[in-house]
Amino acid sequence: KAGVTQTPRYLIKTRGQQVTLSCSPISGHRSVSWYQQTPGQGLQFLFEYFSETQRNKGNFPGRFSGRQFSNSRSEMNVSTLELGDSALYLCASSLDRPGSSYEQYFGPGTRLTVT
Amino acid sequence: ILNVEQSPQSLHVQEGDSTNFTCSFPSSNFYALHWYRWETAKSPEALFVMTLNGDEKKKGRISATLNTKEGYSYLYIKGSQPEDSATYLCAPHTDKLIFGTGTRLQVFP
């Protein structure tokens, strides 16, 4: 079974631009969560999507948004990029069914650099 | 906001040493406590998902215990090997996973 995939793997953008990152979960997984990791910080939760609906949201400004499609693939968008948005963005999928462990499977991440 | 603390922040041990780390979190309602292992240039990989007070899980030389009443979990590695070098993350699962900043382990041959 294929793992979680993220595209692109690396991205360089300029301040003020916007960016869209993509995540394809493991087949059959319905939940997709997004995380941001910056140097010195742990994984910060951005949001979670389940069945095309945002189920949970972290403490990030409205410039960060996301969506999920009917095939469970998810995208996150960051508008008006700031230097501080430079980070590794990870997505994770989980089966999220009653009786499951809610274990999350992570993708390789997208390294975003804002100049 | 749930505050998750992990200690120590980093650890350097010799091959063959046993080691343990701590994850502390406020005792509150949560579904489970997750442990992840994150090697450099790879994706975080789930080690354990623990749900019950007193739960103990084991995978090879790695084991973990959970105390939900006092809000902590321990991860133990017996006979550390260089391939155990990684950052170990814990995350209580409430309505979402809240990750600690991790313990960075380096095992020297």
Side-chain angles (χ1 to χ4, degrees):
Chain A
K1 188 183 271 191
V4 178
T5 59
Q6 290 187 246
T7 56
R9 293 291 310 278
Y10 302 92
L11 203 51
I12 300 175
K13 288 285 190 178
T14 305
R15 271 181 303 175
Q17 288 186 314
Q18 67 94 26
V19 67
T20 299
L21 312 181
S22 180
C23 172
S24 292
I26 291 172
S27 177
H29 284 194
R30 302 185 298 170
S31 168
V32 174
S33 298
W34 288 89
Y35 298 88
Q36 180 198 65
Q37 201 228 5
T38 52
Q41 297 284 323
L43 288 172
Q44 304 290 312
F45 174 78
L46 280 156
F47 27 64
E48 180 201 4
Y49 285 86
F50 181 84
S51 294
E52 302 179 65
T53 301
Q54 187 180 87
R55 187 158 70 173
N56 221 325
K57 191 177 189 307
N59 296 321
F60 279 81
R63 300 186 296 106
F64 291 81
S65 63
R67 59 177 175 168
Q68 187 180 34
F69 302 95
S70 58
N71 61 357
S72 293
R73 189 178 71 86
S74 177
E75 289 181 347
M76 68 162 280
N77 185 276
V78 188
S79 62
T80 319
L81 284 165
E82 300 177 0
L83 293 178
D85 297 332
S86 295
L88 178 67
Y89 291 88
L90 289 165
C91 82
S93 73
S94 66
L95 191 58
D96 203 341
R97 288 188 188 279
S100 69
S101 66
Y102 299 96
E103 183 175 304
Q104 297 204 344
Y105 295 81
F106 283 84
T110 295
R111 172 75 62 184
L112 172 66
T113 302
V114 182
T115 62
Chain B
I1 296 176
L2 197 64
N3 188 35
V4 181
E5 295 186 357
Q6 290 189 248
S7 62
Q9 281 191 327
S10 65
L11 201 53
H12 301 105
V13 301
Q14 289 294 127
E15 182 176 356
D17 288 350
S18 293
T19 186
N20 65 86
F21 333 126
T22 304
C23 171
S24 301
F25 48 92
S27 296
S28 57
N29 291 334
F30 67 104
Y31 302 124
L33 190 286
H34 296 230
W35 278 99
Y36 286 83
R37 166 195 162 95
W38 194 357
E39 289 181 73
T40 303
K42 293 188 178 180
S43 308
E45 175 189 1
L47 283 173
F48 305 113
V49 179
M50 309 171 75
T51 56
L52 302 174
N53 185 44
D55 206 0
E56 183 169 341
K57 299 265 182 170
K58 188 172 181 181
K59 186 183 288 188
R61 295 178 290 98
I62 305 176
S63 61
T65 59
L66 176 65
N67 185 321
T68 58
K69 292 180 180 177
E70 296 185 27
Y72 65 83
S73 177
Y74 292 141
L75 187 80
Y76 302 92
I77 302 179
K78 183 178 178 182
S80 303
Q81 298 296 308
E83 58 264 31
D84 296 328
S85 297
T87 297
Y88 292 82
L89 299 168
C90 71
H93 187 174
T94 55
D95 56 347
K96 53 185 173 284
L97 290 186
I98 307 294
F99 282 89
T101 52
T103 292
R104 184 179 175 85
L105 172 68
Q106 285 190 281
V107 182
F108 296 101

